[in-house]
Amino acid sequence: MNKQKPAFPAVEKDQWWETIRKELRGKPEEMLFTQWFEGLETPPFHSWEDERPDAALFPAYSWHASERIGPERMQAQALDALNRGADGLLVETNPSTHLSDGLKNVQLEFLRLAISPEKPEGPWKEQWTALLSERNQVGRKLNTALNYDPFARMAEKGRLETNVKDEIRSVEHSREIGLFRHAFFVDTHPYQISGARIDTQLGIALATAYEWMQQGAEAKTDDFHFSFAQGREYLLEIAKLRAFRELWPYFLNEIGLKPSKDVAFVSACSSDRHFSASDPHGNLLRLTTMAMSSILGGAQNVM
């Protein structure tokens, strides 16, 4: 059987430009290029003749849809999120939190579960240890994470409230006793929300990971997990996460560490910077593009 002939003949890039220039009727073709906030520019169209990568940028894996739950009415919030389709939870704690009650009937082995405490030491730590023991589970063998970045909190508040080395030792102790799979957290949200450009966010992520190591944390490369706030610049936000995946192993090689066979664990969250109080329908569209850029960028966890 003969192959079906294409409905339209192939059009080369020069032919497209020739047609475009005729339609512009003397107007500058530069007006068709998109100027991004980050100082980048993209052409009005792409051609099959353009060079592009033909290898997979990251391995295939399933990604988690996580939801944040607060310290109040934790169990009700957790079950509601799971019943609506979430397969990950970010648990915020305070001194009155009781994790054993809040995570009752929640099967830890099937979720991405991150704990976000106010401090790296406190009642939550003993409760989490007891909960794992009660369930006959080891935190390191589950998909668990400790969401505490002392450097981001210091930058957000503009002051140092406690000794960073003491906090790092506390986090390191949680890693040593196997409470979490990913114990060392790098959070770029405060910087993105404050207006940091994408290249600055990437630099801060790598610098923060290096600071964890320099402050004495005996960290393995797979102990880290990174969180990025996704903005509304759809293509650039995809590029940001993909660029980080390229930068992380290169960075580890440069400082003399062997990258783990596992890729860096990356979470992505919609940024609060781009929402409107008077445009709820537009906010839905913004959330959709932020989530899609996270997935196409290669995030393993989306919130």
Side-chain angles (χ1 to χ4, degrees), residues 238-255:
I238 295 173
K240 176 175 73 177
L241 298 187
R242 293 189 177 194
F244 181 76
R245 296 207 169 282
E246 296 286 331
L247 288 170
W248 179 240
Y250 179 81
F251 163 78
L252 294 175
N253 280 322
E254 285 296 303
I255 62 174

Side-chain angles (χ1 to χ4, degrees), residues 8-302:
F8 303 98
V11 180
E12 296 181 356
K13 188 173 183 178
D14 290 341
Q15 292 175 286
W16 275 117
W17 273 117
E18 184 179 347
T19 302
I20 289 171
R21 291 186 185 106
K22 286 181 180 178
E23 293 295 326
L24 285 173
R25 299 177 183 178
K27 294 179 182 178
E29 60 190 55
E30 289 77 13
M31 64 183 290
L32 299 178
F33 286 75
T34 301
Q35 303 293 331
W36 297 93
F37 171 73
E38 303 292 329
L40 302 173
E41 119 179 326
T42 52
F45 69 92
H46 292 279
S47 167
W48 286 106
E49 302 168 40
D50 295 336
E51 185 178 354
R52 61 190 184 279
D54 54 6
L57 296 178
F58 44 83
Y61 45 72
S62 59
W63 51 272
H64 298 277
S66 289
E67 185 157 335
R68 185 189 308 269
I69 61 174
E72 307 299 332
R73 299 179 60 254
M74 182 182 293
Q75 184 184 18
Q77 290 184 68
L79 294 179
D80 177 61
L82 297 175
N83 286 332
R84 288 188 291 109
D87 64 349
L89 298 173
L90 173 60
V91 181
E92 295 181 330
T93 69
N94 62 25
S96 63
T97 300
H98 295 282
L99 288 176
S100 57
D101 295 335
L103 296 177
K104 187 179 181 180
N105 299 323
V106 175
Q107 294 179 283
L108 306 178
E109 58 270 31
F110 298 113
L111 303 174
R112 166 71 177 180
L113 193 139
I115 295 180
S116 178
E118 294 180 343
K119 298 291 180 184
E121 292 288 338
W124 72 266
K125 191 171 181 179
E126 290 75 20
Q127 293 171 15
W128 177 241
T129 304
L131 179 62
L132 290 172
S133 177
E134 177 187 329
R135 304 277 186 93
N136 197 26
Q137 298 285 354
V138 178
R140 174 172 281 279
K141 295 183 179 180
L142 301 174
N143 194 352
T144 55
L146 174 59
N147 279 32
Y148 189 85
D149 181 352
F151 307 105
R153 296 198 178 206
M154 180 173 60
E156 192 172 15
K157 294 181 179 180
R159 63 184 185 277
L160 182 62
E161 295 182 332
T162 56
N163 188 298
V164 172
K165 287 192 174 182
D166 289 342
E167 294 195 332
I168 288 176
R169 278 193 287 268
S170 298
V171 174
E172 193 165 14
H173 178 258
S174 296
R175 182 194 66 84
E176 288 173 352
I177 61 177
L179 293 185
F180 299 98
R181 180 178 176 184
H182 301 118
F184 297 101
F185 182 48
V186 176
D187 185 13
T188 67
H189 287 71
Y191 313 105
Q192 193 276 349
I193 292 173
S194 299
R197 288 163 44 119
I198 282 175
D199 52 356
T200 303
Q201 295 171 49
L202 293 172
I204 288 173
L206 297 177
T208 303
Y210 186 69
E211 193 65 24
W212 272 108
M213 301 172 190
Q214 290 296 103
Q215 290 291 338
E218 295 294 330
K220 296 180 181 178
T221 57
D222 56 356
D223 288 326
F224 284 95
H225 64 119
F226 299 82
S227 182
F228 290 93
Q230 294 294 90
R232 64 183 179 182
E233 306 290 7
Y234 180 67
L235 295 177
L236 294 187
E237 294 298 340
I238 295 173
K240 176 175 73 177
L241 298 187
R242 293 189 177 194
F244 181 76
R245 296 207 169 282
E246 296 286 331
L247 288 170
W248 179 240
Y250 179 81
F251 163 78
L252 294 175
N253 280 322
E254 285 296 303
I255 62 174
L257 293 178
K258 185 178 180 181
S260 169
K261 64 179 181 179
D262 298 326
V263 296
F265 193 97
V266 173
S267 293
C269 178
S270 54
S271 171
D272 296 334
R273 182 180 173 85
H274 306 290
F275 293 126
S276 169
S278 60
D279 185 16
H281 297 98
N283 288 340
L284 288 174
L285 295 176
R286 295 180 185 102
L287 281 168
T288 301
T289 56
M290 290 174 188
M292 197 65 185
S293 65
S294 303
I295 296 164
L296 295 179
Q300 294 104 312
N301 187 53
V302 179

